[in-house]
Amino acid sequence: MKDKSEISIMLKEAGILFAITLLAGLLLGFVYELTKEPIRIQQEKAINEACMAVLPAANDSTVFTEYQYTVDAQMEREFERMKEDGVTIGKVYEAMNGSQFLGYVVESTSSKGYGGNIVLYVGITTDGTVGGVSILEIKETAGLGMEAPNVLAPQFAGKKVDHFVFTKNGATEENEVDAITSATITTRAVTNAVNGALDFTHTFLKGGEVNE
């Protein structure tokens, strides 16, 4: 049985530990509150920059607002179909210049990249043209799949098609994309992600058409 001195020491140590834990929690809370707003501002800035990069008509006056869509039975079926290609649709932003609607920016992710997820933004203008593609996250092989932002992304911009395909023999049609040599997996993942954004926009946004 412990004597009173041992119990006193244990209680003292427990009290010190509690005080340290409490102080650490308070400091973390203070730091969080201090940095929350700057972090939010930086995140919004990064989103705006990424959105502006894929809609050529966007400028400093353009406001990007997250579009709240409801997943109904039809959309759920479409999402399940996309998952077969490893594609998921994330956030969607509406782009407005005052009262002028410029189009959408759709976040699309492919889980079937060679190195894992490839996350990109696809800008789609009011007439259904791909304004641009910006790759936000990619972990492919250096010198091969990692060339996607420079080699693949620019090939989608300015094209109005229903669906893209990739080719290893040189693109000759509007809907064809030149594959990265020795990086077929990356090329397929990026192409599928862009197609997913197109399918989602054309099927579910603005009554099936990208128009006001």
Side-chain angles (χ1 to χ4, degrees):
M1 185 175 180
K2 295 181 173 65
D3 59 31
K4 292 184 178 180
S5 61
E6 289 179 325
I7 295 175
S8 177
I9 292 171
M10 290 175 60
L11 290 174
K12 182 178 180 181
E13 290 176 346
I16 292 172
L17 181 60
F18 173 77
I20 292 172
T21 303
L22 179 62
L23 180 60
L26 290 173
L27 286 173
L28 285 173
F30 174 74
V31 171
Y32 170 76
E33 289 298 326
L34 192 65
T35 60
K36 181 172 64 174
E37 186 63 13
I39 289 174
R40 184 191 65 78
I41 292 172
Q42 285 300 114
Q43 288 175 335
E44 287 186 356
K45 181 180 178 182
I47 289 171
N48 279 353
E49 289 176 350
C51 288
M52 286 183 67
V54 297
L55 281 178
N59 54 42
D60 291 339
S61 299
T62 304
V63 176
F64 295 95
T65 305
E66 186 174 348
Y67 180 82
Q68 302 295 332
Y69 57 89
T70 301
V71 180
D72 58 15
Q74 180 187 4
M75 190 180 293
E76 185 64 37
R77 289 193 295 270
E78 181 67 11
F79 282 171
E80 288 299 320
R81 184 193 66 78
M82 290 183 188
K83 285 180 181 178
E84 294 177 3
D85 293 325
V87 175
T88 57
I89 300 299
K91 292 182 178 181
V92 177
Y93 298 92
E94 284 186 312
M96 300 290 296
N97 263 4
S99 60
Q100 182 184 9
F101 174 59
L102 302 182
Y104 294 101
V105 176
V106 180
E107 180 185 62
S108 183
T109 300
S110 172
S111 64
K112 294 190 175 182
Y114 187 80
N117 287 351
I118 299 176
V119 183
L120 47 84
Y121 273 6
V122 183
I124 302 174
T125 65
T126 54
D127 69 350
T129 300
V130 176
V133 172
S134 179
I135 297 179
L136 307 180
E137 180 182 322
I138 185 169
K139 299 174 184 177
E140 303 295 90
T141 305
L144 296 174
M146 283 301 291
E147 292 301 307
N150 300 319
V151 177
L152 289 179
Q155 296 187 61
F156 299 100
K159 295 182 178 180
K160 184 181 179 182
V161 300
D162 293 326
H163 204 76
F164 286 98
V165 296
F166 68 88
T167 175
K168 300 178 182 179
N169 302 314
T172 58
E173 302 294 333
E174 183 75 358
N175 70 328
E176 291 184 333
V177 176
D178 282 323
I180 300 175
T181 303
S182 300
T184 302
I185 293 176
T186 304
T187 302
R188 179 180 291 109
V190 171
T191 303
N192 284 345
V194 174
N195 284 334
L198 278 173
D199 290 344
F200 178 81
T201 303
H202 292 158
T203 305
F204 298 109
L205 302 183
K206 294 293 183 182
E209 298 180 359
V210 190
N211 292 309
E212 291 186 274

